[in-house]
């Protein structure tokens, strides 16, 4: 089945085309009524679906032409239009011969069901060709409103019954047509509008240009202390007039004029003659100087809130009749609707920008965190990570997302158990786990997690944070080592103190024995060697005590070469014979201020370390 779609918006055509072709229909498209007629007359479709508002030829005109064509009138005609239409449009469409009138938006399945229903009605013979619209009615339907049809029919009867009133009726009809044109142009401005003040200025310009009025301006009702009216848009006025008006809408002498009254009451206010009407006394001189003879003020009401007023001035008295007032009231309602629609749109855009900015801010905080942060679904799948997570795992964000979170721990079972605990308790805190890096190394982490909920309050997943505590672990080990060394130092100090007492006895008795032995006695030489060894042992104990007490040592002038040679003598006995000690020490190395014991200790430490490095295979220790 072939369906002809008529719409001036490519996006709407595309959506319908995809929907209909997806259900097996052949689709042909046209951008306006004239193009649709041309295509249908060359190759008639099985059905037509059309919008109303289109350039060149609108939907109502197309329907009238379609139902008046002998070759097309039996083809089902369906209107598919936007929500700004009302019941009068539907009645007019059906009166023109349309088979269905569908208001956007419609659920796709419901739309297809309507199309199928039309097809079934055709097959059952329920849909039959409508009679073509009479030629006399065609001009009436161009006004797109049943209300206007009744008005014009009434005026035509008046013209036929009373020739003497012809000129007056023609003028009234012309004025109605003019007002309708203003409505039409302003409706198009509403559709095009993107900025609030631009819309108001354009509508004021249309009112002045198309309606022949002297001035049109819009004032907003300010909720300040004095309840003033702020002019925001205007057209046709002489420079400086609105600045001199000084309008308020408070119930004061200044605020009881037309503008203030309509804002307070929410009802139109008409001044038939500015020269005689007392309501305009405060501004009469300025108004008459600029040629204003009558005026109308219309409230701008949206969502039960009076936003302000639309004011229109004419150069002749009693310029606004009843029908014109009704149409201008509709215009003011449309203006108020446009203001609220644009404000709602602006608020939505602002909210979206604020949300984007908040998301950027939050993302920045997440990415700058040194902790590995992840979001996890209820199914234990990772849904998002930050940069720190990439570093601690060695994997990219795309590689991680979508995988099971427990696979990245050295103990997946424990990780899974903690995650289940999150859902039971709502959170877990400070669990010690290890994360695997892709190169095989392990990183100890402190794991914390808490659940998050969706808009219905249901648990949707969890936020988790893993803090790298490698440095903390190293510091802990260093602290333990320092404590161990401190304990050893304390123990060594105690041993050294007792050993020093023993050495005191050895050295003392050896000195006494040396004094009791003659100089030529061989025992004298042995006793001197005992004294030397005792004194070296005393110096060694002094080093141990210095280490254990951590006290400041005294610096004295020393010749370092002697200390080095003495230390190497002691060291020789502690190193294996596979290690050769080579010395290259100048005798005249000069005098420095130093602690001999610490110099001795430094050299012993360096050489002992070197000896340990060569203990297995031997080597040369060169000083």
């Amino acid at each position: 089945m072939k369906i002809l779609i008529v719409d001036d918006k490519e996006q709407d055509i595309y959506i319908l085309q995809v929907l209909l072709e997806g259900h097996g229909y052949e689709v042909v498209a046209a951008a306006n009524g004239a193009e649709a007629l041309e295509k249908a007359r060359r190759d008639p479709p099985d059905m037509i679906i059309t919008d109303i508002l289109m350039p060149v030829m609108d939907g109502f005109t197309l329907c009238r032409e379609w139902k008046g064509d002998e070759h097309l009138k039996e083809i089902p005609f369906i209107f598919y239009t936007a929500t700004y239409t009302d019941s009068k449009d539907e009645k007019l469409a059906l009166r023109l011969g349309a088979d269905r009138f569908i208001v956007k938006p419609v659920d796709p399945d419901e739309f297809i069901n309507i199309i199928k229903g039309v097809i079934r009605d055709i097959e059952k013979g329920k849909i039959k060709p409508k009679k073509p619209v009479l030629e006399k009615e065609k001009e009436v339907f161009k006004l797109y409103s049943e209300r206007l049809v009744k008005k014009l029919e009434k005026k035509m009867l008046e013209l036929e019954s009373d020739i003497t009133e012809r000129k007056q009726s023609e003028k009234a009809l012309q004025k109605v047509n003019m007002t309708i044109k203003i409505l039409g142009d302003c409706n198009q401005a509403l559709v095009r509008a993107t900025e609030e003040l631009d819309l108001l200025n354009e509508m004021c310009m249309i009112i002045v240009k198309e309606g022949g009025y002297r001035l049109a301006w819009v004032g907003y009702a300010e909720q300040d202390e004095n309840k003033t009216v702020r002019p925001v848009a205007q057209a046709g006025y002489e420079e400086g007039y609105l600045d001199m008006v000084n309008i308020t809408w408070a119930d004061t002498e200044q605020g009881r004029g037309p503008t203030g009254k309509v804002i307070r009451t929410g009802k139109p206010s008409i001044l038939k003659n500015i020269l005689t009407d007392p309501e305009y006394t405060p501004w009469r001189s300025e108004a008459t100087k600029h040629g204003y003879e009558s005026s109308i003020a219309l409230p701008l009401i949206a969502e039960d809130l009076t936003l302000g007023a639309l004011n229109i001035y004419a150069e002749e008295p009693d310029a606004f009749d009843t029908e014109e007032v009704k149409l201008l009231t509709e215009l003011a309602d449309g203006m108020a609707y446009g203001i609220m629609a644009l404000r709602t749109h602006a608020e939505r855009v602002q909210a979206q920008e604020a949300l984007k900015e908040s998301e950027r801010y939050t993302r920045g905080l997440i990415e700058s965190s040194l902790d590995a942060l992840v979001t996890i679904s209820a199914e234990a799948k990772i849904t998002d990570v930050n940069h720190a997570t990439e570093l601690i795992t060695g994997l990219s964000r795309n590689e991680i997302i979508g995988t099971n979170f427990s696979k990245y721990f050295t103990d997946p079972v424990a990780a899974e158990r903690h995650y289940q605990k999150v859902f039971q308790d709502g959170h877990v805190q400070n669990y010690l786990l290890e994360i695997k890096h892709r190169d095989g190394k392990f990183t100890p982490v402190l794991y914390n997690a808490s659940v998050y909920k969706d808009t219905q309050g249901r648990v949707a997943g969890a936020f988790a944070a893993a803090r790298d505590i490698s440095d903390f672990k190293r510091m802990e080990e260093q602290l333990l080592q320092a404590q161990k060394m401190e304990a050893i130092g304390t123990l060594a100090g105690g041993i050294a103190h007792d050993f020093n007492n023993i050495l005191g006895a050895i050295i003392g008795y050896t000195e006494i024995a040396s004094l009791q032995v003659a100089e030529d006695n061989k025992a004298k030489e042995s006793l001197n060697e005992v004294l030397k060894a005792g004194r070296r042992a005393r110096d060694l104990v002094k080093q141990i005590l210095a280490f254990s007490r951590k006290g400041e040592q005294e610096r004295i002038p020393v010749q370092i070469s002697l200390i080095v040679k003495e230390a190497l003598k002691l060291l020789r006995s502690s190193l294996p014979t596979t290690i050769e000690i080579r010395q290259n020490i100048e005798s005249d190395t000069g005098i420095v201020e130093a602690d001999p014991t610490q110099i001795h200790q430094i050299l012993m430490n360096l050489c002992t370390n070197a000896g340990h490095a060569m203990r297995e295979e031997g080597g040369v220790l060169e000083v």
Side-chain angles (χ1 to χ4, degrees):
M1 187 171 186
K2 181 162 64 180
I3 299 177
L4 173 60
I5 299 173
V6 191
D7 202 310
D8 60 332
K9 295 181 178 62
E10 292 184 4
Q11 183 178 0
D12 291 351
I13 287 179
Y14 175 76
I15 293 171
L16 272 184
Q17 186 172 359
V18 170
L19 178 61
L20 292 170
E21 287 180 348
H23 285 79
Y25 299 106
E26 179 185 350
V27 177
V28 181
N32 56 67
E35 183 183 342
L37 276 176
E38 182 183 349
K39 288 188 176 183
R41 283 167 178 163
R42 286 201 312 265
D43 184 14
D46 297 301
M47 180 185 296
I48 180 171
I49 301 173
T50 180
D51 193 11
I52 293 178
L53 295 180
M54 295 178 294
V56 185
M57 181 185 289
D58 59 78
F60 288 144
T61 307
L62 171 61
C63 184
R64 188 175 58 252
E65 294 291 332
W66 189 277
K67 292 302 179 179
D69 190 308
E70 290 295 327
H71 300 288
L72 301 176
K73 64 182 182 180
E74 296 185 11
I75 298 173
F77 196 101
I78 298 175
F79 277 105
Y80 184 50
T81 186
T83 54
Y84 51 75
T85 58
D86 57 25
S87 59
K88 298 181 182 63
D89 294 316
E90 182 174 0
K91 290 177 181 177
L92 179 58
L94 298 176
R95 184 172 176 180
L96 286 169
D99 297 289
R100 292 289 187 277
F101 190 90
I102 307 172
V103 179
K104 300 177 184 177
V106 177
D107 183 78
D109 292 336
E110 183 182 349
F111 180 82
I112 291 299
N113 287 334
I114 292 172
I115 300 303
K116 290 179 178 179
V118 173
I119 296 170
R120 287 194 299 270
D121 289 345
I122 295 170
E123 293 171 349
K124 294 177 181 179
K126 292 183 179 180
I127 293 181
K128 297 179 181 179
K130 306 285 194 314
K131 291 182 180 180
V133 179
L134 296 177
E135 194 66 29
K136 181 179 178 181
E137 292 175 310
K138 290 183 180 180
E139 295 302 321
V140 178
F141 291 136
K142 290 181 180 179
L143 301 178
Y144 306 139
S145 170
E146 257 191 341
R147 182 186 308 172
L148 188 56
V149 170
K150 292 177 181 178
K151 292 173 189 173
L152 290 178
E153 287 176 348
K154 181 180 179 181
K155 290 186 182 295
M156 290 301 292
L157 290 174
E158 289 174 356
L159 286 171
E160 291 175 0
S161 63
D162 193 354
I163 300 300
T164 59
E165 297 179 0
R166 183 183 300 276
K167 289 184 179 181
Q168 184 178 359
S169 297
E170 286 177 352
K171 184 179 179 181
L173 180 59
Q174 184 180 9
K175 204 164 187 181
V176 170
N177 284 332
M178 175 189 70
T179 310
I180 290 173
K181 189 171 190 326
I182 293 174
L183 277 170
D185 290 349
C186 287
N187 283 335
Q188 291 183 17
L190 280 169
V191 173
R192 294 191 305 268
T194 57
E195 296 292 336
E196 182 177 329
L197 295 185
D198 290 346
L199 168 66
L200 300 182
N201 278 298
E202 184 177 358
M203 293 181 76
C204 286
M205 183 62 70
I206 292 170
I207 292 169
V208 170
K209 184 179 178 182
E210 301 294 343
Y213 301 109
R214 287 296 303 276
L215 167 65
W217 67 277
V218 176
Y220 279 169
E222 296 288 286
Q223 302 294 332
D224 55 9
E225 182 179 353
N226 297 320
K227 295 186 175 180
T228 57
V229 176
R230 176 170 59 94
V232 293
Q234 59 276 318
Y237 77 105
E238 294 184 21
E239 191 66 35
Y241 174 73
L242 291 179
D243 297 334
M244 299 174 65
V245 171
N246 188 25
I247 299 173
T248 68
W249 62 272
D251 193 9
T252 61
E253 183 180 358
Q254 273 287 329
R256 293 191 187 105
T259 305
K261 189 162 90 172
V262 302
I263 293 175
R264 290 197 311 276
T265 64
K267 297 178 181 180
S269 176
I270 304 168
L271 292 182
K272 294 185 177 182
N273 194 323
I274 291 175
L275 289 174
T276 59
D277 199 312
E279 286 188 20
Y280 220 80
T281 301
W283 311 281
R284 181 174 295 132
S285 60
E286 281 298 322
T288 54
K289 185 170 67 176
H290 291 83
Y292 307 141
E293 296 290 336
S294 59
S295 72
I296 182 172
L298 301 154
L300 301 176
I301 302 174
E303 299 178 0
D304 297 327
L305 175 66
T306 303
L307 307 174
L310 167 64
N311 301 271
I312 303 172
Y313 293 68
E315 61 184 353
E316 70 274 3
D318 199 10
F320 305 95
D321 62 23
T322 304
E323 297 300 327
E324 191 174 355
V325 171
K326 289 181 180 179
L327 291 171
L328 290 176
T329 301
E330 290 184 13
L331 173 63
D333 291 342
M335 182 180 285
Y337 170 80
I339 292 170
M340 293 304 295
L342 289 173
R343 288 183 182 180
T344 302
H345 175 72
E347 289 172 0
R348 184 166 60 251
V349 170
Q350 186 177 2
Q352 289 173 347
E353 288 300 320
L355 179 60
K356 289 179 183 178
E357 182 62 28
S358 176
E359 289 174 348
R360 285 193 293 268
Y361 176 76
T362 304
R363 193 71 204 178
L365 289 177
I366 292 172
E367 290 300 329
S368 63
S369 174
L370 298 178
D371 294 345
L373 305 177
V374 299
T375 57
I376 311 167
S377 70
E379 295 76 27
K381 300 292 183 183
I382 295 176
T383 56
D384 199 6
V385 300
N386 67 342
H387 182 60
T389 307
E390 295 178 305
L391 295 178
I392 203 169
T393 60
L395 301 170
S396 69
R397 183 171 181 269
N398 291 336
E399 290 176 304
I400 299 172
I401 290 177
T403 60
N404 189 290
F405 91 104
S406 61
K407 67 177 287 189
Y408 298 100
F409 295 92
T410 55
D411 189 349
V413 176
E416 189 69 38
R417 185 171 61 251
H418 293 326
Y419 189 63
Q420 294 301 324
K421 186 173 176 59
V422 173
F423 283 91
Q424 293 172 6
D425 301 344
H427 63 88
V428 295
Q429 290 183 329
N430 298 335
Y431 277 96
L432 187 61
L433 297 170
E434 285 186 331
I435 293 179
K436 294 184 294 186
H437 193 277
R438 74 185 310 164
D439 63 7
K441 71 178 183 181
F442 301 141
T443 302
V445 297
L446 211 56
Y447 170 78
N448 292 273
S450 60
V451 298
Y452 66 86
K453 299 180 180 180
D454 59 19
T455 54
Q456 282 75 41
R458 296 171 299 196
V459 175
F463 296 118
R467 175 164 294 182
D468 183 353
I469 57 172
S470 301
D471 292 339
F472 176 78
K473 282 286 188 182
R474 283 191 291 270
M475 291 175 63
E476 187 179 42
E477 291 172 0
Q478 290 172 1
L479 177 61
L480 291 174
Q481 183 65 23
Q483 291 172 340
K484 186 188 298 183
M485 292 302 295
E486 184 178 0
I488 292 173
T490 302
L491 177 64
I495 295 172
H497 183 75
D498 292 341
F499 189 57
N500 204 36
N501 293 334
I502 297 170
L503 282 175
I506 293 172
I507 293 171
Y509 282 110
T510 302
E511 287 178 340
I512 293 171
S514 179
L515 292 173
Q516 295 173 348
V517 176
E519 292 292 335
D520 57 351
N521 194 322
K522 290 185 178 181
K524 185 78 170 180
E525 183 177 351
S526 298
L527 289 171
N528 287 336
E529 290 298 321
V530 171
L531 280 173
K532 285 182 182 180
R535 291 188 182 110
R536 285 198 298 271
R538 182 185 62 193
D539 291 341
L540 183 59
V541 169
K542 186 179 179 181
Q543 293 179 47
I544 295 171
L545 287 172
F547 170 76
S548 63
R549 291 171 185 168
K550 299 180 182 178
E552 291 187 5
Q553 304 300 316
E554 183 182 3
R555 292 184 184 183
I556 60 174
V558 295
Q559 191 168 8
I560 291 184
S561 60
L562 298 177
I563 298 175
V564 172
K565 289 179 180 179
E566 179 69 19
L568 291 177
K569 287 181 181 179
L570 289 173
L571 188 68
R572 176 69 273 180
S573 61
S574 63
L575 294 177
T577 55
T578 55
I579 297 175
E580 176 188 354
I581 299 178
R582 293 181 187 174
Q583 300 183 38
N584 182 14
I585 302 169
E586 298 290 339
S587 298
D588 186 14
T589 55
I591 304 298
V592 298
E593 282 191 0
D595 183 341
T597 301
Q598 288 187 346
I599 296 297
H600 192 280
Q601 182 178 346
I602 288 169
L603 190 69
M604 291 293 287
N605 288 345
L606 290 171
C607 293
T608 301
N609 288 342
H612 277 295
M614 297 183 289
R615 183 173 297 276
E616 298 296 330
E617 299 180 4
V620 177
L621 172 61
E622 186 173 359
V623 181

